[in-house]
């Protein structure tokens, strides 16, 4: 069996990280898996890109120009929506021709057009689509916020000027998706049970298979290390009486990451327990981290976001607690990485976070957007007497649910089902017989 994973980027962004890890997980269990990306960052022979870089750039620009027009010249929201009106010629690549299973991930910003997706479906290949946000089942948005129109049909989109109209851009793209998805069987995968529920409620998935399979992680890489040594390698204080809280985000200024809630939670915590100013510190890994030093009344260590895995693993292991106060998430890689390193986690009850953090066992799940409860989580996790048990439960959670072997084999079973459905579909091509594993 040959699987082609398609994602806009090889390494940049959470979806890219998850897709790359899945490619490694499939290889780990003996599946021949490759990736096709627009933005290639390594020279791996298993990672492919498109010929004609200028054509790919033009696809990106063309789509943005169209969105800019529909936003009536406003830059706000320019990257909050996607239309998939342009993209690369996936079906003309050698990697596509070799593949039995086409596994889509995050395919926006000029990678794959809806017309090209329809050509893929007409080819009769098995198609699996892992959702990293809700865009595959809405008209144009990646984050539906409080809008539920995608459950019937999109239109009157809140992302468009004056709330759009019944037959606005979101409705037209929704209608296009409806026609494309009707071409042949296609399986949707949500990374969390929460997103799977949202996907099943969408009208675009009616008659389609929707399952939930989490992202995988290499538990041999993201693993517990000696805390003092990890801190020494990072140039941090090695005194283990200093409790370091870690916060990670590629862009700290992204409001969805919830930094204002963390600032308020720490303010309350240090007001209630002023003696903790002496033995508590915060480490922020991410873009624009320096901007928040003055917001906390404790030592704050910062470093720009890095893709250097060994450094990231040391950063996790340097901490006693990982906190992610996001107000919107799917199945965050950062929580999975922290848990895999044996670090208890604190987060809001949003998206897939409650599926990862078992409240009171490997972390604390606070009420959504509640700085008071987030403060209580800081107290219970930092001042816990059973930290070793919390750390062990964190590691066990990942080994039991997110390992390469566990997730890879779940996808292998799904691919076999998708191949069977594709071969029985009227649109199947006689020339697309799958190889055996």
């Amino acid at each position: 069996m040959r699987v082609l994973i398609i994602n806009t980027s090889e390494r940049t962004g959470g979806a890219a990280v998850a897709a790359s890890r899945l490619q490694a997980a499939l290889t780990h269990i003996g599946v021949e898996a490759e990736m096709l990306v627009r933005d290639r960052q390594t020279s791996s022979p298993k990672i492919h890109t498109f010929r004609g870089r200028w054509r790919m750039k033009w696809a990106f620009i063309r789509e943005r120009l169209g969105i800019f027009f529909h936003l009536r010249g406003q830059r706000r929201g320019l990257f909050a929506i996607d239309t998939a009106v342009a993209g690369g010629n996936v079906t003309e690549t050698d990697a596509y021709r070799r593949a039995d299973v086409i596994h889509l991930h995050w395919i926006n910003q000029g990678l794959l057009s809806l017309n090209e997706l329809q050509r893929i479906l007409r080819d009769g290949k098995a198609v699996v689509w892992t959702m990293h946000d809700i865009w595959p089942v809405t008209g144009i948005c990646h984050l539906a916020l409080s809008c539920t129109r995608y459950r019937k049909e999109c239109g009157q989109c809140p992302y468009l000027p004056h709330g759009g109209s019944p037959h606005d851009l979101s409705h037209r793209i929704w209608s296009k998706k409806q026609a494309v998805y009707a071409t042949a069987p296609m399986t949707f995968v949500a990374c969390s049970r929460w997103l799977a529920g949202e996907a099943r409620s969408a009208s675009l998935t009616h008659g389609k298979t929707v399952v939930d399979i989490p992202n995988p992680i290499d538990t041999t890489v993201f693993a517990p290390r000696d805390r003092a040594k990890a801190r020494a390698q990072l140039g941090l204080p090695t005194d283990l009486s200093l409790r370091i809280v870690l916060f990670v985000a590629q862009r700290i200024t992204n409001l969805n990451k919830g930094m204002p809630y963390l600032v308020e939670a720490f303010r309350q915590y240090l007001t209630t327990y002023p003696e903790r100013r002496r033995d508590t510190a915060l480490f922020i890994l991410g873009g624009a981290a320096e901007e928040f030093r003055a917001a906390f009344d404790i030592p704050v260590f910062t470093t720009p976001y890095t893709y250097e895995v060994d450094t990231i693993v040391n950063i996790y292991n340097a901490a006693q607690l990982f906190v992610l106060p996001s107000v919107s998430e799917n199945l965050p890689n950062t929580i999975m990485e922290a848990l895999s390193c044996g670090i208890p986690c604190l987060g809001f009850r949003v998206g897939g976070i409650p599926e990862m953090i078992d409240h009171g066992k490997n972390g604390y799940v606070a009420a959504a957007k509640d700085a008071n409860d987030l403060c209580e989580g800081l107290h219970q996790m930092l001042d816990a007497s059973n930290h070793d048990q919390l750390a062990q439960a964190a590691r066990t959670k990942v080994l039991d649910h997110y390992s390469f072997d566990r997730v890879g084999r779940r996808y292998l079973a799904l691919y076999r089902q998708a191949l069977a459905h594709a071969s029985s579909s009227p649109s199947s091509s006689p020339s697309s017989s799958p190889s055996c594993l």
Side-chain angles (χ1 to χ4, degrees), residues 364-404:
Y364 188 100
V365 181
K369 300 183 181 180
D370 188 336
N372 294 331
D373 203 11
L374 197 66
C375 169
E376 180 62 22
L378 287 172
H379 168 54
Q380 290 199 24
M381 291 296 102
L382 287 175
D383 303 328
S385 59
N386 63 335
H387 186 270
D388 289 345
Q389 291 177 312
L390 292 167
Q392 183 57 52
R395 175 70 174 169
T396 300
K397 174 78 173 191
V398 175
L399 294 174
D400 289 348
H401 296 277
Y402 309 131
S403 69
F404 272 10

Side-chain angles (χ1 to χ4, degrees), residues 28 63 72 150 156 173 228 237 241 264 273 288 314 340 371 391 417:
H28 173 76
E63 184 179 50
R72 299 181 183 177
Y150 64 91
Q156 296 179 307
I173 300 300
S241 65
E264 175 59 20
Y273 308 99
N314 273 333
S340 191
Q417 293 174 12

Side-chain angles (χ1 to χ4, degrees), residues 289-327:
E290 288 282 345
E291 297 179 20
F292 294 93
R293 278 184 181 272
F296 297 91
D297 193 20
I298 53 174
V300 178
F301 307 103
T302 63
T303 189
Y305 194 83
T306 178
Y307 293 97
E308 219 303 304
V309 174
D310 189 65
T311 299
I312 293 174
V313 175
N314 273 333
I315 290 173
Y316 282 117
N317 277 279
Q320 182 170 334
L321 175 68
F322 177 76
V323 59
L324 186 66
S326 295
V327 298

Side-chain angles (χ1 to χ4, degrees), residues 124-192:
K125 290 181 183 284
V127 178
V128 173
W129 194 344
T130 291
M131 298 173 55
H132 295 277
D133 55 40
I134 206 167
W135 185 86
V137 299
T138 67
I140 58 177
C141 71
H142 294 272
L143 188 63
L145 301 174
S146 60
C147 178
T148 58
R149 289 186 179 87
Y150 64 91
R151 295 176 181 174
K152 292 185 178 180
E153 60 179 322
C154 285
Q156 296 179 307
C157 180
Y159 283 94
L160 297 177
H162 309 297
S165 65
H167 295 90
D168 60 17
L169 178 66
S170 71
H171 179 80
R172 293 197 294 275
I173 300 300
W174 177 88
S175 297
K176 176 68 173 180
K177 287 181 179 179
Q178 186 179 50
V180 170
Y181 294 0
T183 304
M186 180 167 53
T187 301
F188 291 92
V189 180
C191 301
S192 65

Side-chain angles (χ1 to χ4, degrees), residues 24-248:
L26 293 171
T27 301
H28 173 76
I29 64 169
V31 176
E32 187 176 340
E34 300 178 302
M35 286 186 71
L36 178 64
V37 300
R38 184 192 67 191
D39 303 328
R40 183 183 182 187
Q41 281 101 8
T42 73
S43 57
S44 169
K46 293 293 186 179
I47 311 299
H48 309 283
T49 190
F50 297 85
R51 297 187 183 94
R53 296 292 294 169
W54 282 107
R55 177 171 182 165
M56 296 303 294
K57 289 181 179 180
W58 170 242
F60 170 79
I61 293 170
R62 176 188 167 191
E63 184 179 50
R64 288 312 108 185
L65 287 173
I67 292 171
F68 191 61
F69 171 79
H70 284 282
L71 292 176
R72 299 181 183 177
Q74 299 177 23
R75 295 185 63 183
R76 184 178 181 181
L78 186 59
F79 291 94
I81 58 178
D82 278 289
T83 57
V85 297
N89 293 328
V90 171
T91 54
E92 294 181 6
T93 65
D94 292 336
Y96 172 82
R97 295 187 185 101
R98 288 193 297 268
D100 304 312
V101 177
I102 305 302
H103 191 160
L104 307 178
H105 281 255
W106 202 86
I107 49 82
N108 299 109
Q109 296 188 6
L111 176 71
L112 181 70
S113 69
L114 290 173
N115 286 337
E116 186 72 353
L117 173 57
Q118 190 164 47
R119 282 189 280 272
I120 292 171
L121 292 169
R122 285 174 175 165
D123 265 358
K125 290 181 183 284
V127 178
V128 173
W129 194 344
T130 291
M131 298 173 55
H132 295 277
D133 55 40
I134 206 167
W135 185 86
V137 299
T138 67
I140 58 177
C141 71
H142 294 272
L143 188 63
L145 301 174
S146 60
C147 178
T148 58
R149 289 186 179 87
Y150 64 91
R151 295 176 181 174
K152 292 185 178 180
E153 60 179 322
C154 285
Q156 296 179 307
C157 180
Y159 283 94
L160 297 177
H162 309 297
S165 65
H167 295 90
D168 60 17
L169 178 66
S170 71
H171 179 80
R172 293 197 294 275
I173 300 300
W174 177 88
S175 297
K176 176 68 173 180
K177 287 181 179 179
Q178 186 179 50
V180 170
Y181 294 0
T183 304
M186 180 167 53
T187 301
F188 291 92
V189 180
C191 301
S192 65
R193 295 190 296 273
W194 164 78
L195 186 57
E198 295 296 308
R200 291 188 186 105
S201 74
S203 57
L204 287 176
T205 62
H206 290 175
K208 301 292 184 183
T209 300
V210 179
V211 300
D212 60 275
I213 301 178
N215 299 322
I217 190 169
D218 190 341
T219 56
T220 66
V221 174
F222 287 88
R225 294 180 179 179
D226 181 89
R227 181 162 295 148
K229 290 182 179 178
R231 290 185 179 184
Q233 291 184 27
L234 296 167
L236 297 172
T238 56
D239 182 358
L240 297 185
S241 65
L242 178 67
R243 296 103 46 85
I244 296 180
V245 178
L246 174 64
F247 174 47
V248 178

